[in-house]
Amino acid sequence: MRYPEKLYRHARQLRGLDLRDAFAHDAERAQALALTFDNWRIDVSRQHITVETLALLREYAQEIDLPNWVAALFAGEALNVTENRAAWHTALRQADGVSVSGEVQRVRDEMKALSEAIRKNHYLGATGKPIRAVVNIGIGGSSLGTQLACDALYREGDFDVRFVSNIDEENLRRVLIGLDAETTLFVIVSKTFTTEETLSNANAAREWLNDRRDVAAALLDRHFIAVTANIERARAFGIAPESILPFWDWVGGRFSLWSAVGIGIAIQSGWQTFQAMLNGAAVMDKHFLETPVAHNVPMTLALIDWWNTCFGGKNERIIVPYAHGLRLLPSYLQQLLMESNGKRVDWDGNLLGKESNERSTVSVWGGVGTDSQHAFFQWLHQGMHQANVELIVPVAYQGKARHSGLLAHAVAQAQALMCGRDGDDVADGLRSARVCPGNRVSTMLLLPDFDAWQFGALLALYEHRAFIEGVLYRVNSFDQFGVELGKMLVRPLRDALESNIELASNDIDTATQAQLAYIRHFWKR
Ligand code: F6P
């Protein structure tokens, strides 16, 4: 699809824009290109855009009726067209008692009761001892969001919640170190209850319990809880009906931490914290749904992201939180953005990219500041690629005394990306290696503080951006068929390895055959 001519024309006019000149010629730029939500300041003045760019992008948003798409999302319409499902995660965080449906409220009540019983030592294991540690077994959306939230919101004295996701046995082995079977509760989180990694770890956890105690009959009842949309499968695994927390088909895996999938957050940090997270997300939802395009923060940021991808040639998006508690944010966003929008056909099944600047999402990666400054920032400052860098900076994060150092680093990096360095201060022969060209784009999200409310609002902001970007790319952000392929191929290969059976050579390519042969040769059971 060809985008409106005026966007192409504007992109041509902006080619060669130098941010340093733009600031030098426009004293208002820093204020004119700042967005606000609550008391956040979102600085987009260091993007390769102007006030006119925003006006044109917002005009395009109206032309393609973005507000109507948002209304459809919140109305629970089946926007996941390939699977004929809604993507109704916003329904999970509506304010208490206002419009939460009966079923959502019922599960919320169960989560609250369960998490409080565990935290107050009222929930007892099979031998009558209170639970001391909870192990979340799940992968992808059934782990990443909860793990990020637990890390971000952790406070000294919080309940011990740990995570196992990888089928590599080393993951479970390390997590179980120091745990006592009698006081450990496993939460098996899987929407489908068919995910191999999760079931394999759940079975291994069951064996670990069996090995350590002789009250086997009560094992599953008291030491296993399931969170799933597939109740039948969870029951077939042996989990008691009263130990199953349901969620629903209309909750996508990567959008599910607001459902019972997030029970680990309530257990670790308490119900109030979980509720505050929902409230923060609900306020962002309201803003997204009700604010006109001109002041709509998720919509404006998504338009800028799309502009960078389709008109700015920036194929990398780098996420750098300046908060230790947000160190897992890049991995979480990798799934959210790349699983949602890593697509090659539009929602009508047409191949993207026929027009030269049609793209779906870029690659997303990053790491925590300041550590990343000593790793990939060199590439950002002097490498040959142009990337879109996003710095997330909570200003009074837990009131830490040494926080000024961290904040100064964040501000300095954004400054360095734009200003660069000309190297004039060194002798000629050494100069070129020291030059940092500058004029590199960044967005800075400045948050006044960091708590569960802000965290909820932040994640909702990213979810909405992913959705709007998907609409702009014209892809279905809510399926992930690419992930299925690997899952389908794995079974015959595992069977072949376990039984030492040769796969028929016309079934597999010679590279696969050679890899299997190597593995068989060196694999020590
Ligand atoms: O990674 C693919 C995926 O389907 C994700 O979307 C999902 O979050 C994850 O696998 C786990 O799936 P399940 O919750 O069904 O175990």
Side-chain angles (χ1 to χ4, degrees):
M1 179 187 140
R2 204 164 157 78
Y3 304 122
E5 189 49 43
K6 55 193 164 199
L7 288 177
Y8 289 96
R9 205 175 321 118
H10 183 66
R12 281 195 296 275
Q13 283 162 359
L14 284 195
R15 217 169 279 154
L17 172 100
D18 190 305
L19 290 171
R20 291 157 288 207
D21 295 340
F23 276 96
H25 292 118
D26 181 2
E28 302 299 314
R29 185 177 168 91
Q31 297 310 329
L33 292 174
L35 315 172
T36 48
F37 162 79
D38 194 60
N39 46 7
W40 298 8
R41 183 173 197 279
I42 301 156
D43 183 352
V44 295
S45 66
R46 283 169 172 159
Q47 287 290 339
H48 283 162
I49 57 169
T50 60
V51 171
E52 191 192 349
T53 320
L54 284 190
L56 287 169
L57 289 172
R58 286 167 172 157
E59 201 178 303
Y60 181 58
Q62 294 290 6
E63 273 165 38
I64 59 167
D65 215 356
L66 280 187
N68 212 21
W69 281 91
V70 179
L73 178 83
F74 279 81
E77 284 181 27
L79 292 179
N80 180 353
V81 284
T82 50
E83 296 173 304
N84 192 27
R85 279 183 200 154
W88 213 8
H89 39 281
T90 52
L92 296 166
R93 51 216 188 193
Q94 287 167 359
D96 246 351
V98 180
S99 48
V100 168
S101 82
E103 183 66 351
V104 172
Q105 188 60 53
R106 186 184 65 73
V107 177
R108 241 191 231 182
D109 292 343
E110 274 183 48
M111 286 172 72
K112 180 171 187 241
L114 177 66
S115 57
E116 285 181 349
I118 294 169
R119 286 169 62 82
K120 289 178 181 160
N121 297 337
H122 295 161
Y123 185 103
L124 305 179
T127 54
K129 293 186 181 172
I131 294 301
R132 297 276 175 237
V134 165
V135 178
N136 185 100
I137 296 182
I139 197 163
S142 294
S143 171
L144 287 165
T146 311
Q147 198 173 355
L148 163 66
C150 284
D151 209 35
L153 304 175
Y154 176 80
R155 297 277 182 283
E156 204 177 336
D158 271 352
F159 204 89
D160 185 358
V161 177
R162 306 178 184 197
F163 292 84
V164 175
S165 53
N166 198 331
I167 197 168
D168 185 340
E169 288 167 43
E170 193 60 11
N171 192 177
L172 181 66
R173 195 188 69 75
R174 289 186 189 191
V175 162
L176 293 180
I177 291 172
L179 296 189
D180 175 355
E182 290 178 78
T183 58
T184 299
L185 174 70
F186 292 95
V187 182
I188 315 301
V189 186
S190 177
K191 182 173 173 182
T192 56
F193 229 83
T194 58
T195 303
E196 198 208 356
E197 293 95 324
T198 299
L199 294 184
S200 168
N201 277 317
N203 279 317
R206 178 154 55 182
E207 278 166 31
W208 179 78
L209 282 172
N210 266 324
D211 286 353
R212 280 160 182 78
R213 295 183 314 101
D214 46 16
V215 216
L219 269 178
L220 279 173
D221 284 358
R222 298 309 296 166
H223 292 266
F224 272 82
I225 282 171
V227 178
T228 186
N230 192 341
I231 313 276
E232 287 313 306
R233 288 247 182 193
R235 289 187 70 169
F237 183 85
I239 298 188
E242 63 276 13
S243 301
I244 300 175
L245 290 167
F247 66 110
W248 308 273
D249 218 26
W250 45 265
V251 183
R254 51 192 172 275
F255 302 89
S256 63
L257 85 155
W258 321 97
S259 70
V261 168
I263 184 76
I265 308 164
I267 296 171
Q268 181 201 271
S269 303
W271 186 255
Q272 259 191 331
T273 302
F274 188 76
Q275 185 63 59
M277 189 184 88
L278 294 182
N279 292 345
V283 173
M284 181 58 80
D285 290 346
K286 190 170 155 55
H287 166 90
F288 183 46
L289 180 63
E290 294 176 2
T291 309
V293 177
H295 300 284
N296 193 306
V297 171
M299 226 180 253
T300 304
L301 289 174
L303 285 161
I304 297 171
D305 294 330
W306 175 71
W307 176 257
N308 270 317
T309 310
C310 292
F311 293 87
K314 295 177 187 67
N315 296 320
E316 315 277 339
R317 184 138 146 213
I318 319 299
I319 308 292
V320 190
Y322 277 80
H324 183 73
L326 289 176
R327 67 198 149 146
L328 300 177
L329 185 67
S331 318
Y332 169 82
L333 291 182
Q334 230 162 20
Q335 190 204 25
L336 180 66
L337 295 161
M338 294 175 86
E339 200 167 86
S340 297
N341 294 335
K343 310 285 162 67
R344 59 193 283 281
V345 294
D346 69 13
W347 51 56
D348 296 321
N350 301 316
L351 211 54
L352 291 170
K354 287 195 187 138
E355 297 293 341
S356 58
N357 61 346
E358 261 184 344
R359 300 270 183 284
S360 66
T361 196
V362 293
S363 64
V364 180
W365 48 278
V368 74
T370 61
D371 297 33
S372 309
Q373 293 171 203
H374 300 272
F376 59 78
F377 266 68
Q378 165 62 30
W379 183 91
L380 295 178
H381 291 300
Q382 288 192 309
M384 292 180 68
H385 296 83
Q386 279 270 6
N388 181 12
V389 180
E390 185 152 315
L391 304 108
I392 300 104
V393 187
V395 172
Y397 191 47
Q398 294 169 24
K400 295 191 191 87
R402 289 194 288 124
H403 206 52
S404 57
L406 182 66
L407 298 176
H409 272 279
V411 176
Q413 287 303 321
Q415 204 182 5
L417 285 165
M418 177 176 89
C419 299
R421 175 187 183 185
D422 60 17
D424 278 352
D425 50 336
V426 289
D428 263 3
L430 300 171
R431 186 174 170 269
S432 55
R434 284 176 166 70
V435 170
C436 295
N439 197 28
R440 304 206 157 185
V441 306
S442 66
T443 290
M444 189 181 286
L445 269 73
L446 286 154
L447 281 56
D449 203 342
F450 193 78
D451 57 20
W453 191 97
Q454 316 265 349
F455 176 74
L458 184 69
L459 291 204
L461 169 68
Y462 281 111
E463 285 181 349
H464 298 327
R465 279 168 75 177
F467 166 59
I468 292 295
E469 283 169 48
V471 176
L472 290 163
Y473 299 132
R474 307 180 73 249
V475 300
N476 175 7
S477 300
F478 302 114
D479 63 12
Q480 59 283 318
F481 290 110
V483 185
E484 309 294 319
L485 177 61
K487 289 186 191 172
M488 274 152 46
L489 294 177
V490 80
R491 176 163 295 175
L493 294 173
R494 192 194 43 224
D495 290 351
L497 281 173
E498 284 178 356
S499 58
N500 249 330
I501 293 169
E502 293 291 341
L503 288 171
S505 60
N506 51 350
D507 283 348
I508 50 169
D509 58 88
T510 51
T512 308
Q513 283 172 26
Q515 287 161 7
L516 287 178
Y518 181 92
I519 292 169
R520 280 205 184 99
H521 184 73
F522 285 103
W523 179 28
K524 311 255 183 311
R525 279 172 184 265

